């Protein structure tokens, strides 16, 4: 939480006030994050109050035991035992209290409330156990709620605390007033404040044995007054130069830290060390240059490293970390020049090494709790801060970042191998392994001469999300996700600055891969730890999965668009999507991650988009490597769909089956038509090709679908109904469209029935009848009569065959006006309609079905009306004779075969 507060505060600060605002925002954000972390981790204020009451009772009981041991009076009641609640090597508080032979510490006379109720920084973790088995455990150091924090700040000799704060402000106002009004000589003013601060520090030192908290308050206040005094002497009065001021601040800081160590007072140590770190800042000036500054900071950090071996003072470690890297980054942003590299690089490495070792030393004493804001900041913040410094130092060096990232990867890989062997260090080892992967990826990336800052932030965001999910910290994982979005935006903004010399492997393509990897990893982590975000976990995981896949596909498309001719991009992209989805299917099955397996839906969308793209470019499906891409995509699609159906994770199964059959059927007709055109066949061959494909699809599924276990037999009801119905509609529309084709079938001559158009029509009628039989019960429920459709289409086809014959044999133009004006066409149509009516009426009479008989009779009426109204005047003598004789004979035959509608034969005979 410190780390998150630091980054958020810095981001807000740099927006409002530049670099100075970033520093101020970072400090304020770190403090706010510290308090939020404390508010989430500890027992509430009432529990702390109960603990304090239990400790007071414990002290009273100890006094009774001492009196009983002295022979004054036996003590009845409960037996009291004081047992450690945690295997801490030494309490952080408390001085060097003596013990009685019984092992119990005697209380001081008239112990004040402040001494009885130690503060959070000072109290060891203990459990009070009574004879009845009741146990009350105090909180571990560093754990408290916001209410408990306020109770600690306002309790424990509040009067003394307020007094010190008020005195500090009062002295500051006094020095300001004396400066403005020239009151008292300057040395007298400063000597008086120094004497007051020294007196408070000495008094506090002497009082810590009897009144520990009160004494520490006085010591801290005295140190603060001396700091204030030196500051006024340097800045306002100019009595000392910058070098002397720096030395005084450093001495005060180190002295305060040493006193704190002697008294086991963490707060005082943080105060003293903060003063020591701020000494160069407060002193100002060059003070010996950057080598002196960083040498001094290296000495201070070495002291922190030594303290961390004996004391688990995380706040002290964090304070040193923040001061070191914030001041270092500020100096680098303002004053670093390339010629400083040789004198700055050793210090960067030293600082990185110190704060790399501190978490390991602490982990050897107790398992690292990455839930703690300090732990998370040192483990992940150290490589982040050092990475920024190193990036600035080697920015202009060939492959400088690549070598730096590679060295860091090897270092963290070694640490991961060493720590993963110990069960207590496993979490720390996992963190180091994650960092090793991050830096190894960056090493490869930077080795290709790429320098986008987004890469560090994107992968660091994934690492922060992982830590937040493991800890159950909502703010942490939300920040990690947001960090990836911001990094991706920054990546796009810098698009013009990338190197695109190599279209396949360049800054942009690898950057997209890194963003995609971070997004996919975050999505997997969100799925794996879905109990942490709660109900929205899977939704967030799916969105992040879509985000990662989108970047992966975007990067691939960019590489293909730059590296291939424009007309080959669509099919190459289809092949790329097919391979990516196939890998996602296998990895998703291995990880038991259904959402990743459902990326197969992207392939379904890619199939449709590729077809549209090729249609717009007037290509055929197998053009430009499509003969590889389309079969591979179809195989990958059905392979993934079958696996997902067996695992019961597939989505939209009916839609996928229907869409795939329709799309692949259209592609087959499209490709066949183009191939016939490419081979030089006439247009009628291409028209017949579409009908043959429709007939093939209908016939294959209707006739043999039940024998093909998957996909047809497993979903036969779906295919014979919903899927094939549109195919049948397409076939009917094609049959109507084929009427407009004059049937040029060169190199073959036109022969009725013996040509591709008529052959496709006849085959289509057969498979429509087969499909109608395969529909079974759904046919009865739908109320749609396929037989009637076939009859209508067959009648239209028969007429078109007559028209084509007249066109080819008489050279009559194949247009509707020209054909209708032809006397031969009129006569032929009358004869054909009469024969058709004869056949239909005979079928109705034989099958005892009224509807066919009535339809034939209606057609016959049309023929008679046509004869006497239109043909009588328009036909020539020969045509009139032939037509009337033919129609008359037909009527006589009909009158004999089927004179009345079915069902009325008996009435006629009676």
């Amino acid at each position: 939480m410190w780390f998150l507060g630091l980054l958020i505060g810095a981001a807000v600060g740099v927006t409002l006030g530049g670099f100075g605002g970033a520093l101020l925002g970072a400090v304020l954000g770190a403090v706010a994050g510290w308090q939020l972390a404390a508010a989430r981790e500890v027992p509430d204020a009432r529990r702390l109050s109960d603990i304090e009451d239990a400790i007071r009772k414990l002290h009273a009981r100890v006094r009774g035991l001492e009196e009983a041991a002295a022979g004054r009076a036996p003590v009845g009641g409960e037996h009291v035992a004081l047992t450690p609640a945690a295997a801490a090597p030494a309490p952080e508080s408390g001085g060097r209290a003596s013990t009685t032979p019984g092992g119990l510490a005697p209380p001081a006379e008239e112990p004040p409330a402040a001494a009885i109720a130690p503060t959070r920084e000072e109290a060891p973790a203990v459990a009070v156990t009574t004879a009845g088995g009741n146990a009350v455990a105090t909180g571990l150091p560093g754990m408290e709620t916001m209410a408990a924090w306020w109770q600690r700040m306002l309790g424990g000799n509040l009067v003394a605390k307020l007094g010190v704060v008020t005195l500090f402000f009062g002295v500051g106002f006094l020095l300001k007033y004396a400066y403005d009004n020239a009151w008292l000589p300057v040395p007298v003013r400063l000597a008086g404040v120094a004497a007051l601060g020294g007196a408070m520090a000495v008094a506090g030192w002497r009082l810590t044995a009897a009144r520990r908290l009160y004494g520490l308050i006085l010591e801290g206040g005295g140190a603060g007054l001396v700091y204030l005094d030196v500051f006024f002497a340097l800045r306002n009065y100019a009595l000392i130069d910058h070098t002397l001021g720096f030395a005084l601040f450093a001495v005060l800081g180190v002295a305060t830290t040493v006193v704190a160590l002697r008294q086991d007072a963490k707060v005082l140590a943080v105060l003293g060390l903060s003063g020591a770190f701020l000494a160069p800042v407060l002193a100002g000036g060059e003070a010996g240059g950057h080598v002196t500054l960083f040498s001094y900071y290296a000495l201070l950090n070495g002291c922190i490293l030594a303290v961390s071996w004996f004391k688990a003072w995380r706040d002290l470690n964090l304070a040193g970390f923040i001061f070191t890297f914030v001041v270092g980054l500020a100096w680098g942003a303002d004053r670093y020049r390339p010629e400083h590299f040789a004198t700055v690089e050793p210090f960067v490495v030293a600082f990185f090494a110190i704060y790399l070792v501190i978490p390991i030393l602490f982990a050897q004493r107790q398992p690292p709790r990455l839930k703690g804001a300090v732990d998370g900041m040192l483990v992940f913040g150290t490589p982040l801060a050092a990475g920024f410094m190193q990036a600035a130092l080697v920015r202009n060096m060939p492959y400088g970042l690549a070598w730096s990232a590679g060295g860091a990867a090897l270092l963290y890989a070694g640490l991961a191998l060493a720590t993963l062997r110990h069960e207590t260090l496993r979490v720390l080892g996992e963190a180091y392994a994650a960092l090793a992967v991050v830096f190894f990826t960056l090493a490869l990336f930077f080795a290709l001469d790429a320098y986008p800052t987004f890469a560090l932030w994107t992968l660091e965001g994934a690492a922060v999300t992982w830590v937040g999910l493991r800890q159950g910290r909502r703010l942490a994982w939300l920040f990690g996700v947001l960090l990836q979005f911001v990094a991706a935006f920054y990546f796009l903004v810098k698009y013009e600055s990338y190197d695109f010399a190599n279209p396949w492997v360049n800054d942009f393509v690898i950057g997209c891969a890194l963003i995609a990897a971070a997004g996919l990893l975050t999505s997997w982590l969100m799925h794996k730890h879905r109990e942490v975000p709660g109900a929205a976990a899977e939704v967030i995981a799916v969105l992040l999965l879509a985000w990662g896949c989108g970047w992966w596909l975007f990067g691939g498309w960019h590489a293909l668009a730059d590296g291939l001719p424009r007309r080959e991009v669509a099919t190459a992209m289809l092949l790329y999507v097919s391979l990516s989805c196939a890998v996602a299917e296998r990895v998703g099955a291995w990880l038991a991650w259904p959402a990743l397996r459902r990326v197969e839906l992207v392939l379904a969308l890619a199939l449709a988009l590729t077809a549209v793209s090729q249609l717009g470019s007037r290509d055929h499906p197998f053009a430009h490597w499509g003969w590889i891409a389309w079969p591979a995509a179809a195989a990958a699609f059905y392979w993934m769909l079958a696996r997902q159906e067996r695992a019961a994770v597939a989505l939209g199964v009916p839609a996928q089956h229907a869409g795939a059959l329709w799309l692949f059927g259209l592609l087959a007709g499209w490709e066949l038509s183009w191939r016939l055109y490419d081979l030089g066949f006439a247009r009628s061959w291409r028209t017949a090709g579409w009908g043959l494909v429709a007939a093939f699809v209908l016939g294959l599924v209707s006739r043999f679908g039940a024998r093909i276990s998957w996909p047809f037999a497993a979903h036969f009801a779906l295919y014979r109904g919903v899927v094939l119905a549109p195919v049948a509609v397409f076939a009917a529309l094609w049959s109507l469209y084929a009427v407009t084709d004059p049937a040029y079938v060169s190199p073959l001559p036109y022969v009725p029935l013996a040509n591709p158009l008529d052959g496709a029509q006849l085959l289509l009628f057969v498979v429509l009848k087969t499909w109608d039989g395969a529909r079974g019960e759904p046919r009865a429920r739908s109320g749609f009569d396929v037989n009637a459709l076939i009859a209508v289409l067959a009648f239209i086809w028969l007429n078109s065959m007559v028209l084509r014959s007249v066109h080819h044999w008489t050279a009559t133009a194949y247009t509707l006006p020209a054909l209708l004006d032809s006397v031969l066409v009129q006569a032929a149509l009358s004869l054909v309609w009469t024969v058709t009516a004869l056949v239909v009426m005979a079928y109705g009479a034989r099958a005892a079905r009224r509807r066919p008989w009535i339809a034939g009779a209606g057609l016959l009426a049309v023929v008679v009306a046509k004869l006497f109204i239109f043909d009588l005047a328009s036909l020539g003598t020969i045509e009139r004779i032939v037509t009337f004789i033919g129609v008359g004979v037909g009527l006589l035959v009909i009158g004999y075969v089927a004179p009345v509608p079915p069902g009325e034969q008996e009435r006629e005979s009676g």
Side-chain angles (χ1 to χ4, degrees):
M1 195 66 71
W2 286 75
F3 175 52
L4 299 180
L6 180 74
L7 292 180
I8 295 173
V12 175
V14 75
T15 303
L16 299 178
F19 189 74
L23 291 179
L24 179 60
V27 174
L28 295 178
V31 173
W34 186 7
Q35 298 307 325
L36 286 175
R40 294 174 60 90
E41 292 181 351
V42 242
D44 55 15
R46 180 178 299 176
R47 182 180 179 87
L48 287 179
S49 179
D50 294 341
I51 293 170
E52 291 175 358
D53 292 340
I55 294 175
R56 292 190 185 97
K57 293 178 181 179
L58 175 62
H59 277 278
R61 185 60 180 163
V62 169
R63 173 176 294 182
L65 290 175
E66 290 176 348
E67 293 175 354
R72 299 179 185 177
V75 179
E78 296 178 322
H79 169 71
V80 179
L82 182 61
T83 60
E92 294 182 12
S93 73
R96 302 169 297 276
S98 62
T99 58
T100 65
L104 296 175
E109 282 191 359
E110 303 281 334
I116 294 175
T119 62
R120 179 180 65 94
E121 292 88 347
E122 302 166 13
V126 298
V128 181
T129 307
T130 66
N134 299 322
V136 180
T138 68
L140 293 174
M143 302 176 63
E144 62 181 343
T145 62
M146 184 63 73
W149 181 81
W150 279 109
Q151 184 186 29
R152 178 172 62 85
M153 293 299 295
L154 300 178
N157 206 334
L158 176 61
V159 175
K161 294 179 181 180
L162 292 177
V164 167
V165 174
T166 305
L167 179 61
F168 186 84
F169 278 98
V171 171
F173 293 146
L174 175 62
L175 289 173
K176 181 71 166 56
Y177 177 81
Y179 174 77
D180 293 338
N181 296 277
W183 183 61
L184 293 179
V186 172
V188 175
R189 305 173 202 166
L190 298 178
V193 175
L196 177 60
M200 291 178 62
V202 172
W205 174 270
R206 293 185 176 182
L207 286 174
T208 51
R211 305 286 296 276
R212 174 176 173 79
L213 180 59
Y214 187 82
L216 292 177
I217 292 172
L218 289 180
E219 288 183 26
L225 288 179
V226 177
Y227 272 112
L228 185 66
D229 196 43
V230 175
F231 179 80
F232 268 84
L234 174 65
R235 288 298 176 90
N236 290 64
Y237 301 124
L239 291 181
I240 57 177
D241 59 11
H242 293 290
T243 302
L244 181 57
F246 167 76
L248 290 175
F249 280 126
V251 169
L252 285 172
V254 174
T256 306
T257 304
V258 171
V259 171
L261 290 174
R262 289 285 303 273
Q263 296 180 328
D264 200 16
K266 180 173 62 177
V267 175
L268 192 60
V270 174
L271 174 64
L273 196 71
S274 298
F277 273 104
L278 287 173
V281 180
L282 296 176
E286 294 296 333
H290 66 277
V291 175
T292 303
L293 172 66
F294 293 144
S295 298
Y296 171 68
Y297 272 20
L299 177 62
L300 294 179
N301 283 297
C303 295
I304 294 176
L305 180 62
V307 171
S308 67
W309 180 260
F310 302 100
K311 300 289 184 182
W313 287 355
R314 298 181 176 181
D315 294 346
L316 185 67
N317 300 335
L318 181 62
F321 174 83
I322 291 177
F323 281 118
T324 298
F325 286 103
V326 170
V327 174
L329 288 171
W331 179 89
D334 185 47
R335 302 184 181 182
Y336 176 74
R337 299 293 181 269
E339 56 269 19
H340 295 154
F341 175 80
T343 55
V344 174
E345 176 71 3
F347 291 107
V348 173
V349 175
F351 295 150
F352 172 75
I354 289 173
Y355 288 99
L356 180 68
V357 171
I358 287 177
I360 301 175
L361 292 178
F362 182 79
Q364 289 177 342
R365 301 176 57 195
Q366 62 184 43
R369 294 175 299 157
L370 292 183
K371 291 182 68 174
V374 177
D375 285 345
M377 188 169 187
L378 291 183
V379 172
F380 291 102
T382 298
L384 180 61
F388 274 111
M389 288 185 171
Q390 187 69 5
L393 294 180
V394 301
R395 171 170 43 192
N396 299 319
M397 297 182 181
Y399 301 104
L401 276 176
W403 285 110
S404 300
L410 292 176
L411 175 62
Y412 278 110
L415 291 174
L417 291 176
T419 52
L420 285 174
R421 298 175 182 175
H422 305 279
E423 187 63 31
T424 56
L425 304 180
R426 188 161 192 84
V427 176
L428 189 62
E430 291 176 357
Y432 286 152
L435 288 171
V437 173
V438 169
F439 278 108
F440 178 74
T441 305
L442 289 175
L444 295 178
F445 179 67
F446 292 138
L448 301 170
D449 293 330
Y451 186 69
T453 307
F454 81 92
L456 185 62
W457 286 102
T458 301
L459 298 177
E460 199 74 29
V464 171
T465 303
W466 171 69
V467 175
L469 290 172
R470 280 190 63 100
Q471 300 172 8
R473 299 288 186 85
R474 175 172 296 181
L475 182 59
W477 63 258
L478 281 176
F479 179 81
V481 173
L482 179 62
L483 190 60
Q484 296 180 53
F485 293 153
V486 173
F489 173 76
Y490 176 78
F491 169 70
L492 291 178
V493 169
K494 295 293 183 179
Y495 178 82
E496 297 296 334
S497 64
Y498 298 142
D499 179 15
F500 297 100
N502 187 329
W504 303 102
V505 182
N506 53 56
D507 293 357
F508 188 81
V509 172
I510 298 180
C512 288
L514 289 175
I515 297 177
L520 294 173
L521 176 61
T522 306
S523 176
W524 160 243
L525 292 172
M526 197 69 65
H527 167 73
K528 183 178 180 181
H529 300 279
R530 52 189 174 273
E531 70 281 354
V532 176
E538 289 298 338
V539 176
I540 298 174
V542 170
L543 293 177
L544 289 171
L545 179 63
W547 166 267
C549 291
W551 279 101
W552 176 258
L553 297 177
F554 185 33
W557 173 84
H558 192 279
L560 295 172
D562 282 354
L564 293 176
R566 182 179 179 182
R567 300 175 72 89
E568 296 179 4
V569 173
T571 51
M573 188 65 188
L574 178 61
L575 188 60
Y576 174 74
V577 174
S578 302
L579 294 176
S580 300
C581 292
V583 173
E585 164 64 25
R586 292 301 299 265
V587 175
W590 176 53
L591 295 176
W593 186 9
L596 183 61
R597 303 182 67 178
R598 292 171 184 146
V599 171
E600 168 263 342
L601 294 174
V602 176
L603 177 57
L605 179 62
L607 291 169
L609 293 178
T610 305
V612 172
S613 174
Q614 288 186 315
L615 183 63
S617 62
R618 300 183 180 275
D619 282 329
H620 61 102
F622 280 9
H624 310 298
W625 303 99
W627 60 276
I628 295 178
W630 279 111
F637 173 82
Y638 279 114
W639 173 73
M640 288 185 285
L641 185 59
R643 284 172 55 91
Q644 292 180 24
E645 286 185 18
R646 289 195 297 269
V649 297
L651 293 179
V653 173
Q656 291 198 66
H657 280 279
L661 185 72
W662 298 339
L663 177 63
F664 293 136
L666 289 174
L667 291 174
W670 182 3
E671 182 64 25
L672 177 60
S673 175
W674 188 91
R675 289 294 170 185
L676 292 171
Y677 166 79
D678 188 55
L679 293 173
F681 286 92
R683 172 175 173 267
S684 299
W685 286 91
R686 304 198 298 273
T687 303
W690 284 98
L692 290 174
V693 170
F696 175 78
V697 173
L698 276 171
L700 174 68
V701 179
S702 301
R703 183 70 178 84
F704 304 103
R707 304 178 187 178
I708 303 174
S709 59
W710 194 92
F712 302 129
H715 306 278
F716 193 64
L718 172 69
Y719 273 96
R720 70 185 182 185
V722 175
V723 178
L724 288 186
V727 180
V729 172
F730 173 84
L733 294 175
W734 174 87
S735 179
L736 295 175
Y737 171 78
V739 173
T740 65
D741 194 297
Y744 294 121
V745 292
S746 58
L748 300 177
Y750 174 79
V751 177
L753 296 180
N755 63 81
L757 275 178
D758 292 340
Q761 289 275 19
L762 290 172
L763 180 62
L764 202 60
F765 298 151
V766 173
V767 296
L768 282 173
K769 181 63 178 176
T770 303
W771 171 62
D772 185 52
R775 292 169 67 213
E777 290 300 322
R779 175 186 59 180
R781 292 195 299 268
S782 66
F784 179 73
D785 192 348
V786 176
N787 291 322
L789 174 65
I790 295 173
V792 172
L793 293 176
F795 179 70
I796 296 174
W797 162 72
L798 188 62
N799 284 271
S800 69
M801 189 169 57
V802 171
L803 297 178
R804 289 193 193 101
S805 300
V806 173
H807 165 67
H808 284 279
W809 294 342
T810 64
T812 303
Y814 197 73
T815 62
L816 187 61
L819 291 172
L820 293 179
D821 288 342
S822 172
V823 174
L824 182 59
V825 167
Q826 297 296 335
L829 289 178
S830 298
L831 292 175
V832 170
W833 290 2
T834 301
V835 174
T836 302
L838 171 63
V839 173
V840 172
M841 293 178 70
Y843 166 75
R846 296 290 182 183
R849 300 181 62 183
R850 295 176 60 87
R851 290 178 61 187
W853 191 94
I854 293 175
L859 179 61
L860 189 61
V862 171
V863 172
V864 173
K866 177 178 177 296
L867 279 175
F868 289 98
I869 297 176
F870 299 103
D871 295 345
L872 187 62
S874 61
L875 296 178
T877 303
I878 301 300
E879 290 87 353
R880 189 182 303 142
I881 293 172
V882 174
T883 302
F884 273 79
I885 291 177
V887 172
V889 173
L891 292 173
L892 291 175
V893 173
I894 292 173
Y896 177 80
V897 175
V900 295
E904 298 185 7
Q905 289 87 343
E906 297 179 0
R907 184 168 38 183
E908 181 187 57
S909 60

